[in-house]
Amino acid sequence: MPVNIPRTEQPRVVIIGAGFAGLRLARKLYKQNFQVVLFDRNNYHQFQPLFYQVATSGLEPSSISFPLRKVFQNVKNVFIRVAEVNKIRTEEKMLETSLGTVMYDYLVIATGATTNFFGMQSFAKNSLPMKSVSEALFLRNTILSNFEKAVTLSDEEERKRMLNVVVVGGGPTGVEVCGALAEMKNFVLPKDYPEMDFRQMTITLVEASHQLLNGMSAKAGEKAFNYLAELGVEVKLEHKVLNYDGKQVDLEDKESFQANTLIWAAGVKGQMPEGINPDLIVRGNRIKVNDFNQVDDADDIFAIGDIAYMETEAYPNGHPQVAQVALQQASLLAQNLVNLHNKTELTGFRYHDKGSMATVGRNRAVVDLPKLRFSGFVAWMVWMFVHLMSIVGVKNRLVIFINWLWSYMTYDQSLRLIIRQVPRGRDKSE
């Protein structure tokens, strides 16, 4: 076989994507009587909820990433291949990948979501998304490089534009990155650049709806708004962005302002592999599935996590694209694949909402549990504990805990590094 995977008597489960859903499924299946083939374009798992901390110099990229091969060390029935999946050939039960073709008995699509610019090309071209470790690192480099440029400028308006940051999207990502940037502005940057007046720097959050954190309670959204205001973030609710040319942001009400950095956190869409029946692709570029996460026209193809669209009485517009849905679907699918292979009854998926949370910075967070809602220091501690325990790898948890503890004690981050790729052919000693 071109991808060098031996055929065995075990049924082969091919998983596309090693995010929350794909990795959980592979970990649940490897002790069962299956051959598991896991495809991903990276050789590591990424912890997406903390991308913003990489972007704002709070954590190093390696602390929220974990090598896939380390997860499955000494496991002989799991095969990891770093490759792009180009096309699914459903009639032949085959994938075309950048390494070659591979056959499957069961296929699981867990490709997750990517940035949705809603067709606005100026934002796709000039804004900065944050849906991967590499994008978060590029954002960090951009922000820090802008500060370094600003310190050399004598023109005050140009300097302010270089310092200003606009964030579009008032969900957890937008709120959290604004809080982190505001804390940098208030506690870190004045010490790094004593010759600059950071009162000139503005951080603006633009949200099209009437409240922040739309997936949470109105009280949580209001509390997040107040926390951001305390930190000096300007929040614009019920404002829609129209255009961004890399220097000027234009809003629908003809208001505009200057900023060299615009972070796009306004929406996601499914990452769709080629070969899926177009009739099964619904809004948000997601694949329509039944209660067992089976793609509607195929008994041997499944979709889980952000890419899956399952209509239920409780969720008529599909489940929220959050980690808990992905993890719960993966756990159930692992059992259902065993049942399917043994020709026993499958269990339908029912989402158990364990709550939502978001942090707005030091001692500031909001938590919505099914029967309890709270905010402030206790919510912040709960947020840190949950995220710390969700990280893959004991070493990563320890590194993150030390970074958080250091930041809390010193009001500082130690990772303000601009890391660029050295062009090929250039003498590295230059």
Side-chain angles (χ1 to χ4, degrees), residues 87 143 153 166 171 183 188 207 222 225 286 300 308 345 381 406 409:
K87 187 176 182 180
I143 292 172
L153 297 173
V166 176
E183 292 195 330
V188 178
E207 166 58 35
E222 182 181 351
F225 183 98
R286 301 166 79 179
D300 54 1
E345 187 176 354
M381 293 294 291
W406 178 261
M409 293 173 59

Side-chain angles (χ1 to χ4, degrees), residues 55 64 66 82 90 120 144 151 178 183 194 221-222 267 315 326 333 419:
I64 65 165
F66 198 81
V82 178
T90 56
M120 294 188 284
L144 296 176
V151 78
C178 281
E183 292 195 330
E222 182 181 351
Y315 297 93
L333 180 56
I419 301 174

